[in-house]
Amino acid sequence: MQTRQLGKTGPVVSTLGLGAMGMSGMYGPSDRAESLATLDAALEAGITLIDTGDFYGMGHNEMLIGEALKGGKRDKAILSVKFGAQRDPGAGWIGFDGRPAAVKTSLAYTLQRLGVDHIDIYRPARLDPNVPIEDTVGAIAEMVQAGFVRHIGLSEVGVETIRKAHAVHPIVDLQIEYALITRGVEDKILPVLRELGIGMTAYGVLSRGLISGHWDKGQGKAQGDFRAYSPRFQGDNVDKNLALVEALRAIAAAKGVSVAQIAIAWVAAQGDDIVPLVGARTRARLAESLGALDVTLSADELAAIERAVPRDAAAGTRYAEAQMAHLDSER
């Protein structure tokens, strides 16, 4: 397994990370046994970076990963955990809590659910508009000093917030959506990350399956599936976006790789400071994603991909309007 360091001060992790969110219902029902088998296969393949959130399935995801790490496997994993998103019993999203006391309480529950004594990278899932980021990061920094956290990361925040947080404690990485059809980070955020020596963990590299090459319009109808109300999967938008996928498929076919593999390889090719997170829920999809590590893209191929999927060609925003309003990274 190839490795990359997260920023100047972060841990060395596998070039490809595994995002476990989809194993806890965010994309409809998942199979518990297959989820555990996929986590085990990822660790055996050398994937070290495992990403979760305490609000994925309201603790379900953390407990699932905790089970997968039993039997002496904890040392194989670099655990990245997001916290702070508030949900109601009906799974509705009702805000974010970044207060210092909430930070420490969330961490205590996370350690218990995962069955570990420390978290490798702990990060607020969003910016709390009512709490200075300095206070939130300062609370995590206290947990670093106490030994419960190793490193601090951020998620979906903009350049001003990044600078403020980094001034309080070194930030090792920003987790943010980045894909062929999601490239807003390139304008201001990525240059600042590189200026400060902060890495990026890129989620949504397959745009929640949309550019995986496996998606069709009949999917994503299950209750609880994020894609049932995601703008890019609705109406005329999905037709326009799937046309981009077909253009990408032609390039992938000519190279003898899958659409998913070329999309993942494109993200990985954007810099050694970027680690793609794949959301594989099955061993088959994991194996396909791992194959992307063997795909090297030439300058001509990168140019062809850019022509096939031009920047800003995607139809629809990456989240619904209400959720977009909560993204500090979009301001």
Side-chain angles (χ1 to χ4, degrees), residues 253-267:
K255 193 169 177 63
V257 301
S258 73
V259 177
Q261 286 169 342
I262 207 163
I264 296 167
W266 181 88
V267 174

PDB file of all heavy atoms in Angstrom, residues 253-267:
ATOM      1  N   ALA A 253     -12.727   3.216 -20.719  1.00  0.00           N
ATOM      2  CA  ALA A 253     -12.715   2.008 -21.547  1.00  0.00           C
ATOM      3  C   ALA A 253     -11.459   1.944 -22.408  1.00  0.00           C
ATOM      4  O   ALA A 253     -10.851   0.876 -22.572  1.00  0.00           O
ATOM      5  CB  ALA A 253     -13.969   1.971 -22.413  1.00  0.00           C
ATOM      6  N   ALA A 254     -11.063   3.075 -22.952  1.00  0.00           N
ATOM      7  CA  ALA A 254      -9.862   3.118 -23.784  1.00  0.00           C
ATOM      8  C   ALA A 254      -8.615   2.759 -22.975  1.00  0.00           C
ATOM      9  O   ALA A 254      -7.649   2.206 -23.520  1.00  0.00           O
ATOM     10  CB  ALA A 254      -9.714   4.490 -24.418  1.00  0.00           C
ATOM     11  N   LYS A 255      -8.646   3.038 -21.690  1.00  0.00           N
ATOM     12  CA  LYS A 255      -7.497   2.754 -20.826  1.00  0.00           C
ATOM     13  C   LYS A 255      -7.596   1.367 -20.188  1.00  0.00           C
ATOM     14  O   LYS A 255      -6.646   0.881 -19.569  1.00  0.00           O
ATOM     15  CB  LYS A 255      -7.397   3.831 -19.732  1.00  0.00           C
ATOM     16  CG  LYS A 255      -6.061   3.814 -18.984  1.00  0.00           C
ATOM     17  CD  LYS A 255      -5.901   5.040 -18.116  1.00  0.00           C
ATOM     18  CE  LYS A 255      -4.599   4.983 -17.305  1.00  0.00           C
ATOM     19  NZ  LYS A 255      -3.387   4.983 -18.159  1.00  0.00           N
ATOM     20  N   GLY A 256      -8.764   0.756 -20.313  1.00  0.00           N
ATOM     21  CA  GLY A 256      -8.942  -0.580 -19.753  1.00  0.00           C
ATOM     22  C   GLY A 256      -9.204  -0.585 -18.255  1.00  0.00           C
ATOM     23  O   GLY A 256      -8.857  -1.541 -17.565  1.00  0.00           O
ATOM     24  N   VAL A 257      -9.813   0.507 -17.760  1.00  0.00           N
ATOM     25  CA  VAL A 257     -10.147   0.605 -16.333  1.00  0.00           C
ATOM     26  C   VAL A 257     -11.623   0.972 -16.209  1.00  0.00           C
ATOM     27  O   VAL A 257     -12.288   1.296 -17.195  1.00  0.00           O
ATOM     28  CB  VAL A 257      -9.272   1.644 -15.608  1.00  0.00           C
ATOM     29  CG1 VAL A 257      -7.799   1.280 -15.745  1.00  0.00           C
ATOM     30  CG2 VAL A 257      -9.518   3.055 -16.144  1.00  0.00           C
ATOM     31  N   SER A 258     -12.139   0.930 -14.982  1.00  0.00           N
ATOM     32  CA  SER A 258     -13.537   1.276 -14.775  1.00  0.00           C
ATOM     33  C   SER A 258     -13.701   2.787 -14.605  1.00  0.00           C
ATOM     34  O   SER A 258     -12.730   3.517 -14.358  1.00  0.00           O
ATOM     35  CB  SER A 258     -14.092   0.550 -13.545  1.00  0.00           C
ATOM     36  OG  SER A 258     -13.576   1.111 -12.345  1.00  0.00           O
ATOM     37  N   VAL A 259     -14.938   3.242 -14.715  1.00  0.00           N
ATOM     38  CA  VAL A 259     -15.226   4.665 -14.515  1.00  0.00           C
ATOM     39  C   VAL A 259     -14.837   5.087 -13.106  1.00  0.00           C
ATOM     40  O   VAL A 259     -14.218   6.140 -12.903  1.00  0.00           O
ATOM     41  CB  VAL A 259     -16.724   4.950 -14.772  1.00  0.00           C
ATOM     42  CG1 VAL A 259     -17.040   6.417 -14.488  1.00  0.00           C
ATOM     43  CG2 VAL A 259     -17.102   4.594 -16.198  1.00  0.00           C
ATOM     44  N   ALA A 260     -15.205   4.271 -12.131  1.00  0.00           N
ATOM     45  CA  ALA A 260     -14.874   4.599 -10.741  1.00  0.00           C
ATOM     46  C   ALA A 260     -13.366   4.713 -10.556  1.00  0.00           C
ATOM     47  O   ALA A 260     -12.878   5.630  -9.884  1.00  0.00           O
ATOM     48  CB  ALA A 260     -15.445   3.540  -9.801  1.00  0.00           C
ATOM     49  N   GLN A 261     -12.630   3.812 -11.147  1.00  0.00           N
ATOM     50  CA  GLN A 261     -11.178   3.824 -10.977  1.00  0.00           C
ATOM     51  C   GLN A 261     -10.554   5.078 -11.570  1.00  0.00           C
ATOM     52  O   GLN A 261      -9.653   5.681 -10.964  1.00  0.00           O
ATOM     53  CB  GLN A 261     -10.576   2.567 -11.604  1.00  0.00           C
ATOM     54  CG  GLN A 261     -10.839   1.321 -10.774  1.00  0.00           C
ATOM     55  CD  GLN A 261     -10.488   0.036 -11.500  1.00  0.00           C
ATOM     56  OE1 GLN A 261     -10.355   0.015 -12.736  1.00  0.00           O
ATOM     57  NE2 GLN A 261     -10.335  -1.044 -10.760  1.00  0.00           N
ATOM     58  N   ILE A 262     -11.027   5.507 -12.707  1.00  0.00           N
ATOM     59  CA  ILE A 262     -10.426   6.698 -13.317  1.00  0.00           C
ATOM     60  C   ILE A 262     -10.834   7.959 -12.555  1.00  0.00           C
ATOM     61  O   ILE A 262     -10.052   8.907 -12.431  1.00  0.00           O
ATOM     62  CB  ILE A 262     -10.784   6.802 -14.822  1.00  0.00           C
ATOM     63  CG1 ILE A 262      -9.684   7.573 -15.560  1.00  0.00           C
ATOM     64  CG2 ILE A 262     -12.150   7.399 -15.069  1.00  0.00           C
ATOM     65  CD1 ILE A 262      -9.713   7.397 -17.067  1.00  0.00           C
ATOM     66  N   ALA A 263     -12.042   7.959 -11.980  1.00  0.00           N
ATOM     67  CA  ALA A 263     -12.483   9.109 -11.189  1.00  0.00           C
ATOM     68  C   ALA A 263     -11.688   9.223  -9.891  1.00  0.00           C
ATOM     69  O   ALA A 263     -11.306  10.323  -9.473  1.00  0.00           O
ATOM     70  CB  ALA A 263     -13.975   8.997 -10.887  1.00  0.00           C
ATOM     71  N   ILE A 264     -11.424   8.096  -9.249  1.00  0.00           N
ATOM     72  CA  ILE A 264     -10.620   8.093  -8.022  1.00  0.00           C
ATOM     73  C   ILE A 264      -9.178   8.480  -8.338  1.00  0.00           C
ATOM     74  O   ILE A 264      -8.554   9.273  -7.622  1.00  0.00           O
ATOM     75  CB  ILE A 264     -10.673   6.718  -7.337  1.00  0.00           C
ATOM     76  CG1 ILE A 264     -12.093   6.402  -6.869  1.00  0.00           C
ATOM     77  CG2 ILE A 264      -9.697   6.655  -6.148  1.00  0.00           C
ATOM     78  CD1 ILE A 264     -12.303   4.948  -6.456  1.00  0.00           C
ATOM     79  N   ALA A 265      -8.646   7.904  -9.418  1.00  0.00           N
ATOM     80  CA  ALA A 265      -7.260   8.192  -9.804  1.00  0.00           C
ATOM     81  C   ALA A 265      -7.075   9.668 -10.131  1.00  0.00           C
ATOM     82  O   ALA A 265      -6.021  10.248  -9.853  1.00  0.00           O
ATOM     83  CB  ALA A 265      -6.859   7.327 -10.990  1.00  0.00           C
ATOM     84  N   TRP A 266      -8.105  10.286 -10.716  1.00  0.00           N
ATOM     85  CA  TRP A 266      -8.018  11.713 -11.023  1.00  0.00           C
ATOM     86  C   TRP A 266      -7.839  12.528  -9.743  1.00  0.00           C
ATOM     87  O   TRP A 266      -7.000  13.431  -9.678  1.00  0.00           O
ATOM     88  CB  TRP A 266      -9.254  12.186 -11.780  1.00  0.00           C
ATOM     89  CG  TRP A 266      -9.199  13.642 -12.138  1.00  0.00           C
ATOM     90  CD1 TRP A 266      -8.660  14.198 -13.270  1.00  0.00           C
ATOM     91  CD2 TRP A 266      -9.658  14.741 -11.327  1.00  0.00           C
ATOM     92  NE1 TRP A 266      -8.758  15.573 -13.211  1.00  0.00           N
ATOM     93  CE2 TRP A 266      -9.360  15.933 -12.032  1.00  0.00           C
ATOM     94  CE3 TRP A 266     -10.276  14.832 -10.088  1.00  0.00           C
ATOM     95  CZ2 TRP A 266      -9.681  17.202 -11.535  1.00  0.00           C
ATOM     96  CZ3 TRP A 266     -10.590  16.086  -9.585  1.00  0.00           C
ATOM     97  CH2 TRP A 266     -10.297  17.251 -10.302  1.00  0.00           C
ATOM     98  N   VAL A 267      -8.607  12.225  -8.708  1.00  0.00           N
ATOM     99  CA  VAL A 267      -8.477  12.950  -7.442  1.00  0.00           C
ATOM    100  C   VAL A 267      -7.087  12.740  -6.853  1.00  0.00           C
ATOM    101  O   VAL A 267      -6.419  13.696  -6.435  1.00  0.00           O
ATOM    102  CB  VAL A 267      -9.561  12.509  -6.438  1.00  0.00           C
ATOM    103  CG1 VAL A 267      -9.319  13.154  -5.072  1.00  0.00           C
ATOM    104  CG2 VAL A 267     -10.950  12.874  -6.951  1.00  0.00           C
TER     105      VAL A 267
END
